[in-house]
């Protein structure tokens, strides 16, 4: 039942978003597992458009927050406003009280604002004055950052970026897809109409179904082996890679790899996880959690290359 609805969701989004199948897949995985996602890509790749369209198709409240150097935590979570007529303070809730939050260019605001966002992501609640308010459910943060511009940015610390389930690189389109985008968007009168396919109750039901997807003990242990290979590479024969890894992935990688693999299997119509599911998702879940040293930077070694080596050399079972 829900598999067909999910296909309808992808078809509906495909009316507007062209050639970003991986991005759509990862956004749905995040939504159906309660995981937040960090998107990295140059401007103009339809990151904001994709998230906006997804919110409409899923009939969820959506807020876009443009992060700027002068943004304050109160602009995000809300504040207390004095009302002279009643002689007391009234709570003015911020845009964080929504289902899908687009934190656009999250690395453009200072640490205090980033901390307020990431605390809300972790705790699913915010405190305004003396009161604590639970955030709406489902609650998913989709943050973007531009890898090109570094001037005037405040990079997320490793401990904070770890709270994102996945870091997904959004790349340029293929020639035929870009041609399709050009033809569609060159029409000045082009106007897309999106109809809702799922609602909140459907999303919670899908989450329950994802939770019931089977993962064998062998694959559970495979996830553990992959994780420990980033922490103790020498024990896995990864001598070259050991020179470059300063810190391996956190326990969150273990949890998220399990959840995401179940969600990917579900989206593909299976009630069981395959090794290929884990291998496909490992780069997105691990790439922002492995911390390389200065020697890696000097030698031009990238995190993705380290993950590829781990996936090749760590055996299943």
């Amino acid at each position: 039942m829900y598999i067909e609805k999910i296909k309808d969701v992808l078809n509906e989004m495909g009316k507007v978003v062209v050639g970003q199948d991986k991005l759509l897949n990862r956004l749905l995985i995040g939504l159906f597992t309660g995981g937040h996602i960090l998107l990295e890509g140059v401007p103009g790749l339809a990151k904001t458009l994709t998230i906006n369209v997804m919110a409409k198709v899923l009939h969820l409240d959506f807020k876009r927050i443009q992060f700027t150097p002068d943004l304050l935590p109160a602009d995000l979570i809300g504040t207390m406003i004095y009302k002279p007529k009643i002689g007391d303070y009234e709570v003015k809730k911020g845009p964080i009280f929504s289902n899908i939050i687009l934190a656009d260019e999250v690395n453009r605001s200072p640490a205090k604002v980033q901390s307020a966002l990431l605390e809300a992501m972790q705790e699913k609640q915010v405190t305004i004055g003396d009161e604590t308010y639970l955030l709406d459910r489902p609650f998913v943060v989709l943050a973007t950052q531009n890898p090109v511009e570094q001037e005037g940015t405040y990079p997320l610390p490793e401990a904070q970026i770890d709270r994102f389930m996945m870091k997904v690189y959004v790349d340029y389109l293929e020639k035929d897809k870009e041609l399709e985008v050009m033809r569609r968007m060159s029409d000045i009168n082009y106007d897309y109409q999106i109809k809702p396919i799922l609602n909140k109750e459907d999303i919670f039901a899908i989450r329950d179904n994802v939770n019931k997807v089977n993962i064998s003990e062998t694959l559970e242990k495979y996830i553990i082996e992959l994780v420990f290979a980033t922490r103790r590479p020498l024990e896995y024969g990864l001598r070259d890679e050991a020179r470059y890894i300063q810190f391996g992935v956190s326990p969150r990688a273990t949890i998220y790899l399990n959840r995401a693999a179940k969600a990917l299997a579900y989206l593909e119509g299976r009630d069981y996880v395959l090794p290929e599911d884990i291998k496909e998702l490992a780069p997105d879940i691990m790439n922002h959690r492995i911390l390389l040293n200065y020697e890696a930077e000097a030698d031009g070694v990238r995190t993705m290359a380290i993950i590829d080596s781990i996936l090749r050399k760590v055996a299943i079972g």
Side-chain angles (χ1 to χ4, degrees):
M1 171 185 169
Y2 288 114
I3 295 299
E4 292 303 318
K5 280 194 171 184
I6 291 170
K7 289 178 182 177
D8 291 340
V9 166
L10 294 172
N11 290 335
E12 195 69 20
M13 293 181 69
K15 293 178 181 179
V16 183
V17 181
V18 178
Q20 295 289 6
D21 295 344
K22 178 187 173 183
L23 173 59
L24 296 180
N25 178 270
R26 299 304 188 261
L27 290 177
L28 289 179
I29 287 175
L31 179 71
F32 296 148
T33 57
H36 310 290
I37 297 178
L38 179 62
L39 306 175
E40 185 169 291
V42 297
L45 296 181
K47 299 186 293 294
T48 303
L49 175 66
T50 302
I51 295 168
N52 196 349
V53 170
M54 185 179 79
K56 290 180 179 178
V57 175
L58 300 175
H59 205 256
L60 296 174
D61 292 330
F62 167 73
K63 291 288 192 303
R64 176 183 177 271
I65 306 167
Q66 180 64 52
F67 278 58
T68 56
D70 60 347
L71 197 71
L72 298 173
D75 298 326
L76 191 70
I77 65 173
T79 188
M80 303 286 289
I81 297 177
Y82 184 72
K83 295 284 187 177
K85 286 185 178 180
I86 61 174
D88 204 352
Y89 286 90
E90 186 176 277
V91 173
K92 172 70 173 176
K93 292 183 177 180
I96 199 77
F97 289 90
S98 194
N99 299 124
I100 296 180
I101 303 295
L102 170 57
D104 223 349
E105 295 189 285
V106 68
N107 55 338
R108 288 217 165 271
S109 286
K112 191 175 288 187
V113 179
Q114 293 176 0
S115 296
L117 173 69
L118 293 162
E119 182 182 1
M121 289 165 52
Q122 182 68 23
E123 307 298 333
K124 302 289 195 303
Q125 64 183 30
V126 297
T127 301
I128 305 173
D130 296 329
E131 294 290 327
T132 298
Y133 300 90
L134 294 176
L135 295 172
D136 297 337
R137 295 182 65 238
F139 174 73
V140 177
V141 172
L142 307 172
T144 70
Q145 63 180 19
N146 183 352
V148 178
E149 298 177 22
Q150 298 302 325
E151 188 176 344
T153 62
Y154 304 82
L156 293 168
E158 283 75 15
Q160 293 185 342
I161 204 172
D162 184 49
R163 294 181 185 178
F164 287 97
M165 180 185 207
M166 289 186 273
K167 181 180 180 182
V168 180
Y169 292 98
V170 185
D171 208 349
Y172 290 111
L173 299 175
E174 299 294 328
K175 288 182 181 179
D176 59 330
K177 300 298 183 184
E178 187 133 355
L179 179 63
E180 186 179 343
V181 170
M182 181 184 69
R183 287 172 174 168
R184 187 180 296 183
M185 295 302 178
S186 62
D187 181 0
I188 297 173
N189 297 318
Y190 174 72
D191 183 28
Y192 60 87
Q193 297 295 325
I194 296 297
K195 62 179 182 180
I197 303 295
L198 297 177
N199 55 36
K200 291 182 182 180
E201 289 72 24
D202 294 329
I203 292 168
F204 293 133
I206 291 171
R207 285 186 177 183
D208 288 339
N209 290 341
V210 167
N211 206 36
K212 294 172 185 173
V213 171
N214 294 306
I215 180 167
S216 67
E217 186 178 349
T218 300
L219 292 183
E220 286 179 334
K221 290 181 177 178
Y222 178 52
I223 290 174
I224 298 298
E225 295 300 318
L226 291 176
V227 166
F228 271 75
T230 70
R231 301 172 187 170
R232 304 172 186 171
L234 287 175
E235 294 181 14
Y236 294 83
L238 298 162
R239 295 188 176 278
D240 294 335
E241 294 75 10
R243 293 171 46 211
Y244 301 121
I245 299 176
Q246 186 173 357
F247 293 106
V249 301
S250 72
R252 284 195 181 101
T254 313
I255 298 165
Y256 286 147
L257 199 44
N258 183 302
R259 287 186 189 174
K262 288 180 179 179
L264 182 58
Y266 182 80
L267 290 176
E268 295 187 356
R270 287 182 274 108
D271 63 352
Y272 56 90
V273 174
L274 294 173
E276 288 73 20
D277 299 327
I278 297 169
K279 291 178 179 179
E280 181 180 336
L281 291 162
D284 295 326
I285 289 173
M286 290 183 168
N287 72 77
H288 58 301
R289 292 185 164 90
I290 295 177
L291 185 61
L292 302 184
N293 55 27
Y294 290 109
E295 192 174 349
E297 187 174 348
D299 291 348
V301 175
R302 297 286 176 261
T303 310
M304 285 299 190
I306 300 289
I307 295 171
D308 287 342
S309 295
I310 291 171
L311 290 172
R312 285 198 312 271
K313 295 180 181 179
V314 175
I316 301 172

